[in-house]
Amino acid sequence: EKADALTARLAPGFDADAGRDNAEIWWFDQPTLPWNDGLEAIKRAIAGLDGFVPQTVSFDVFDTLIQRPFRQPTDLFSMLEERWRRENRRCLLSFADARTEAETSARVWARGRKDDIDLYDIYNALRVTCGASEDCADAMRFAECEAEIAFARPRHTGIALYRLAKAMGRRVVLISDMYLDSATISAMLN
């Protein structure tokens, strides 16, 4: 319901029911990988049935515990296009292009830093590369986080493995190389 309301607000006219039976559109509802024996092997490893009892099990958050209904993570940016047009009148680029360019610029400018860039770095770069105001950059950063939270869905296989690890008394570590802040990632996990 939250995702439908957000979609209606961010992409008026988008018909979520159009093509519902089309696997090309709704591919994310389907298993994306043939597991063969892979899933069972992972379960055995977590349970310590293969001769090694792990003390710690780590999970990458994105695409393991959380999935999003997009072929590419950057597809989210097109959902924010109308908001971008309302917030920013200076940049002629689409939001997807402006946001992608800003991330590329932020990564170039951050070379040599020990830590990776975050969403604040990206939106500061958006201000420079597109001439967006601070208010516009803040509004779009907030809208991106809001959309990420709204579109996040649990990946049931990953959640089952997480629960198995917890049930086996393993220390569980969640990792991510995502530029989102920990509060947004926590909200997505909840």
Side-chain angles (χ1 to χ4, degrees):
E1 292 172 15
K2 282 175 45 178
D4 289 342
L6 181 63
T7 300
R9 195 173 82 218
L10 295 175
F14 176 77
D15 183 0
D17 292 321
R20 185 169 290 280
D21 296 327
N22 183 342
E24 283 299 305
I25 296 172
W26 297 101
W27 64 273
F28 60 89
D29 286 338
Q30 309 301 319
T32 56
L33 295 173
W35 283 104
N36 301 330
D37 189 35
L39 181 59
E40 294 308 313
I42 295 169
K43 288 179 183 177
R44 284 192 309 273
I46 290 172
L49 299 178
D50 290 333
F52 174 77
V53 179
Q55 299 301 306
T56 303
V57 178
S58 64
F59 293 92
D60 186 1
V61 173
F62 292 92
D63 298 325
T64 303
L65 298 177
I66 294 173
Q67 61 184 347
R68 295 167 286 174
F70 305 109
R71 286 206 184 268
Q72 300 293 323
T74 54
D75 291 347
L76 173 81
F77 304 152
S78 15
M79 301 295 294
L80 300 173
E81 186 64 35
E82 184 174 315
R83 176 76 182 262
W84 172 247
R85 292 288 164 222
R86 282 195 318 262
E87 295 291 338
N88 182 43
R89 304 223 189 282
R90 297 179 190 174
C91 184
L92 298 178
L93 292 176
S94 69
F95 180 68
D97 289 343
R99 171 62 177 71
T100 301
E101 183 180 317
E103 183 172 346
T104 300
S105 295
R107 289 191 185 285
V108 168
W109 299 338
R111 282 192 185 137
R113 276 184 13 190
K114 289 184 181 185
D115 58 333
D116 198 8
I117 64 168
D118 61 21
L119 209 54
Y120 290 95
D121 295 322
I122 293 169
Y123 278 92
N124 283 334
L126 185 81
R127 290 176 56 205
V128 173
T129 58
C130 285
S133 70
E134 185 173 350
D135 288 343
C136 171
D138 287 345
M140 293 307 298
R141 181 180 45 77
F142 180 79
E144 182 175 339
C145 290
E146 185 180 48
E148 286 282 12
I149 293 165
F151 284 109
R153 297 288 178 268
R155 181 169 296 279
H156 297 290
T157 305
I159 299 300
L161 294 171
Y162 169 86
R163 289 181 177 147
L164 174 63
K166 294 298 274 184
M168 298 300 300
R170 308 296 181 243
R171 177 175 167 247
V172 173
V173 176
L174 304 183
I175 59 172
S176 177
D177 61 354
M178 181 63 140
Y179 45 72
L180 293 171
D181 59 89
S182 60
T184 301
I185 294 172
S186 293
M188 293 171 80
L189 286 166
N190 290 326

Short mmCIF file of all heavy atoms in Angstrom, two decimals, residues 65-89:
data_model
loop_
_atom_site.label_atom_id
_atom_site.label_comp_id
_atom_site.label_asym_id
_atom_site.label_seq_id
_atom_site.Cartn_x
_atom_site.Cartn_y
_atom_site.Cartn_z
N LEU A 65 19.08 -10.06 1.29
CA LEU A 65 17.98 -9.95 2.25
C LEU A 65 16.88 -9.03 1.75
O LEU A 65 15.72 -9.18 2.13
CB LEU A 65 18.51 -9.43 3.60
CG LEU A 65 19.54 -10.32 4.29
CD1 LEU A 65 20.02 -9.67 5.57
CD2 LEU A 65 18.97 -11.70 4.56
N ILE A 66 17.25 -8.07 0.92
CA ILE A 66 16.29 -7.09 0.39
C ILE A 66 16.34 -7.15 -1.13
O ILE A 66 17.41 -7.22 -1.72
CB ILE A 66 16.65 -5.65 0.83
CG1 ILE A 66 16.50 -5.48 2.33
CG2 ILE A 66 15.80 -4.63 0.09
CD1 ILE A 66 17.01 -4.14 2.83
N GLN A 67 15.17 -7.09 -1.74
CA GLN A 67 15.10 -6.96 -3.19
C GLN A 67 14.24 -5.75 -3.54
O GLN A 67 13.43 -5.30 -2.73
CB GLN A 67 14.53 -8.22 -3.83
CG GLN A 67 13.11 -8.55 -3.41
CD GLN A 67 12.66 -9.86 -4.02
OE1 GLN A 67 13.29 -10.39 -4.91
NE2 GLN A 67 11.55 -10.40 -3.52
N ARG A 68 14.48 -5.22 -4.70
CA ARG A 68 13.71 -4.08 -5.19
C ARG A 68 13.18 -4.42 -6.58
O ARG A 68 13.84 -5.14 -7.31
CB ARG A 68 14.59 -2.83 -5.22
CG ARG A 68 14.99 -2.43 -3.80
CD ARG A 68 16.09 -1.42 -3.79
NE ARG A 68 17.34 -2.07 -4.13
CZ ARG A 68 18.48 -1.44 -4.32
NH1 ARG A 68 18.52 -0.14 -4.22
NH2 ARG A 68 19.58 -2.08 -4.63
N PRO A 69 12.02 -3.91 -6.92
CA PRO A 69 11.37 -4.32 -8.18
C PRO A 69 11.91 -3.62 -9.42
O PRO A 69 11.16 -3.09 -10.23
CB PRO A 69 9.90 -3.93 -7.94
CG PRO A 69 10.00 -2.73 -7.07
CD PRO A 69 11.17 -3.00 -6.16
N PHE A 70 13.21 -3.60 -9.54
CA PHE A 70 13.84 -2.93 -10.67
C PHE A 70 14.90 -3.85 -11.27
O PHE A 70 15.58 -4.56 -10.55
CB PHE A 70 14.51 -1.62 -10.22
CG PHE A 70 13.58 -0.69 -9.51
CD1 PHE A 70 13.69 -0.46 -8.15
CD2 PHE A 70 12.57 -0.05 -10.21
CE1 PHE A 70 12.83 0.38 -7.50
CE2 PHE A 70 11.69 0.81 -9.56
CZ PHE A 70 11.81 1.03 -8.21
N ARG A 71 15.02 -3.80 -12.59
CA ARG A 71 16.08 -4.60 -13.24
C ARG A 71 17.46 -4.09 -12.83
O ARG A 71 18.37 -4.86 -12.62
CB ARG A 71 15.93 -4.54 -14.75
CG ARG A 71 14.78 -5.35 -15.23
CD ARG A 71 15.01 -5.82 -16.66
NE ARG A 71 13.84 -6.53 -17.12
CZ ARG A 71 13.69 -7.83 -17.02
NH1 ARG A 71 14.62 -8.55 -16.46
NH2 ARG A 71 12.61 -8.41 -17.46
N GLN A 72 17.60 -2.78 -12.74
CA GLN A 72 18.84 -2.15 -12.30
C GLN A 72 18.51 -1.26 -11.11
O GLN A 72 17.46 -0.61 -11.12
CB GLN A 72 19.44 -1.29 -13.42
CG GLN A 72 19.78 -2.03 -14.68
CD GLN A 72 20.90 -3.02 -14.47
OE1 GLN A 72 21.84 -2.75 -13.73
NE2 GLN A 72 20.81 -4.18 -15.10
N PRO A 73 19.37 -1.19 -10.11
CA PRO A 73 19.09 -0.30 -8.97
C PRO A 73 18.83 1.14 -9.39
O PRO A 73 18.03 1.84 -8.77
CB PRO A 73 20.36 -0.41 -8.12
CG PRO A 73 20.94 -1.73 -8.48
CD PRO A 73 20.61 -1.95 -9.93
N THR A 74 19.46 1.59 -10.48
CA THR A 74 19.28 2.97 -10.94
C THR A 74 17.91 3.21 -11.57
O THR A 74 17.55 4.37 -11.81
CB THR A 74 20.38 3.34 -11.95
OG1 THR A 74 20.39 2.38 -13.00
CG2 THR A 74 21.76 3.37 -11.28
N ASP A 75 17.15 2.15 -11.83
CA ASP A 75 15.80 2.34 -12.38
C ASP A 75 14.91 3.12 -11.43
O ASP A 75 13.93 3.74 -11.86
CB ASP A 75 15.15 0.99 -12.72
CG ASP A 75 15.82 0.30 -13.90
OD1 ASP A 75 16.62 0.95 -14.60
OD2 ASP A 75 15.55 -0.90 -14.10
N LEU A 76 15.25 3.11 -10.16
CA LEU A 76 14.50 3.90 -9.17
C LEU A 76 14.50 5.38 -9.54
O LEU A 76 13.51 6.08 -9.31
CB LEU A 76 15.12 3.71 -7.78
CG LEU A 76 14.54 4.58 -6.67
CD1 LEU A 76 13.26 3.96 -6.15
CD2 LEU A 76 15.54 4.74 -5.55
N PHE A 77 15.59 5.85 -10.13
CA PHE A 77 15.72 7.28 -10.42
C PHE A 77 14.63 7.78 -11.36
O PHE A 77 14.17 8.90 -11.25
CB PHE A 77 17.11 7.61 -10.99
CG PHE A 77 18.25 7.18 -10.11
CD1 PHE A 77 19.48 6.88 -10.66
CD2 PHE A 77 18.11 7.05 -8.74
CE1 PHE A 77 20.54 6.47 -9.87
CE2 PHE A 77 19.16 6.65 -7.93
CZ PHE A 77 20.38 6.36 -8.50
N SER A 78 14.22 6.94 -12.33
CA SER A 78 13.16 7.41 -13.23
C SER A 78 11.84 7.59 -12.50
O SER A 78 11.00 8.36 -12.95
CB SER A 78 12.97 6.51 -14.44
OG SER A 78 13.57 5.32 -14.31
N MET A 79 11.67 6.89 -11.39
CA MET A 79 10.45 7.05 -10.59
C MET A 79 10.40 8.44 -9.93
O MET A 79 9.34 8.90 -9.54
CB MET A 79 10.36 5.98 -9.50
CG MET A 79 10.36 4.55 -10.02
SD MET A 79 8.92 4.17 -11.00
CE MET A 79 7.64 4.26 -9.79
N LEU A 80 11.54 9.08 -9.84
CA LEU A 80 11.62 10.39 -9.16
C LEU A 80 11.64 11.56 -10.14
O LEU A 80 11.82 12.71 -9.73
CB LEU A 80 12.88 10.42 -8.29
CG LEU A 80 12.95 9.34 -7.21
CD1 LEU A 80 14.31 9.35 -6.53
CD2 LEU A 80 11.84 9.52 -6.19
N GLU A 81 11.42 11.28 -11.40
CA GLU A 81 11.54 12.31 -12.44
C GLU A 81 10.59 13.49 -12.22
O GLU A 81 11.00 14.65 -12.31
CB GLU A 81 11.31 11.70 -13.82
CG GLU A 81 11.56 12.66 -14.96
CD GLU A 81 13.02 13.08 -15.03
OE1 GLU A 81 13.92 12.28 -14.74
OE2 GLU A 81 13.26 14.25 -15.40
N GLU A 82 9.33 13.21 -11.94
CA GLU A 82 8.38 14.31 -11.78
C GLU A 82 8.76 15.20 -10.58
O GLU A 82 8.68 16.42 -10.66
CB GLU A 82 6.95 13.78 -11.60
CG GLU A 82 5.94 14.92 -11.53
CD GLU A 82 4.52 14.42 -11.51
OE1 GLU A 82 4.19 13.52 -12.31
OE2 GLU A 82 3.74 14.94 -10.69
N ARG A 83 9.18 14.57 -9.52
CA ARG A 83 9.62 15.34 -8.35
C ARG A 83 10.80 16.24 -8.73
O ARG A 83 10.88 17.39 -8.32
CB ARG A 83 9.98 14.37 -7.23
CG ARG A 83 10.54 15.01 -5.98
CD ARG A 83 9.44 15.67 -5.17
NE ARG A 83 9.92 16.34 -4.01
CZ ARG A 83 9.91 15.83 -2.78
NH1 ARG A 83 9.43 14.63 -2.57
NH2 ARG A 83 10.37 16.52 -1.76
N TRP A 84 11.73 15.69 -9.50
CA TRP A 84 12.90 16.44 -9.96
C TRP A 84 12.48 17.66 -10.76
O TRP A 84 13.00 18.76 -10.59
CB TRP A 84 13.79 15.52 -10.78
CG TRP A 84 14.95 16.12 -11.50
CD1 TRP A 84 15.09 16.20 -12.85
CD2 TRP A 84 16.13 16.68 -10.94
NE1 TRP A 84 16.30 16.77 -13.17
CE2 TRP A 84 16.96 17.08 -12.02
CE3 TRP A 84 16.58 16.89 -9.64
CZ2 TRP A 84 18.21 17.67 -11.82
CZ3 TRP A 84 17.81 17.48 -9.45
CH2 TRP A 84 18.61 17.87 -10.53
N ARG A 85 11.52 17.49 -11.64
CA ARG A 85 11.05 18.60 -12.47
C ARG A 85 10.39 19.70 -11.62
O ARG A 85 10.52 20.87 -11.93
CB ARG A 85 10.07 18.12 -13.54
CG ARG A 85 10.71 17.26 -14.59
CD ARG A 85 11.60 18.10 -15.50
NE ARG A 85 12.50 17.24 -16.24
CZ ARG A 85 13.78 17.51 -16.44
NH1 ARG A 85 14.31 18.60 -15.99
NH2 ARG A 85 14.54 16.69 -17.10
N ARG A 86 9.71 19.29 -10.56
CA ARG A 86 9.10 20.28 -9.65
C ARG A 86 10.14 21.00 -8.83
O ARG A 86 10.03 22.20 -8.57
CB ARG A 86 8.09 19.60 -8.72
CG ARG A 86 6.77 19.29 -9.34
CD ARG A 86 5.71 18.96 -8.29
NE ARG A 86 6.17 18.12 -7.21
CZ ARG A 86 5.99 16.79 -7.14
NH1 ARG A 86 5.37 16.16 -8.10
NH2 ARG A 86 6.43 16.10 -6.11
N GLU A 87 11.15 20.26 -8.37
CA GLU A 87 12.16 20.82 -7.46
C GLU A 87 13.23 21.65 -8.17
O GLU A 87 13.79 22.56 -7.59
CB GLU A 87 12.86 19.70 -6.67
CG GLU A 87 11.97 18.95 -5.71
CD GLU A 87 11.52 19.77 -4.52
OE1 GLU A 87 12.19 20.77 -4.17
OE2 GLU A 87 10.49 19.41 -3.94
N ASN A 88 13.55 21.28 -9.40
CA ASN A 88 14.70 21.87 -10.06
C ASN A 88 14.33 22.33 -11.46
O ASN A 88 13.88 21.56 -12.28
CB ASN A 88 15.83 20.83 -10.14
CG ASN A 88 17.06 21.41 -10.78
OD1 ASN A 88 17.45 22.52 -10.48
ND2 ASN A 88 17.67 20.65 -11.66
N ARG A 89 14.56 23.58 -11.73
CA ARG A 89 14.27 24.11 -13.06
C ARG A 89 15.56 24.48 -13.80
O ARG A 89 15.52 24.91 -14.93
CB ARG A 89 13.38 25.33 -12.94
CG ARG A 89 12.09 25.03 -12.17
CD ARG A 89 10.91 25.65 -12.84
NE ARG A 89 9.70 25.58 -12.05
CZ ARG A 89 8.95 24.51 -11.92
NH1 ARG A 89 9.29 23.40 -12.45
NH2 ARG A 89 7.84 24.55 -11.21
#
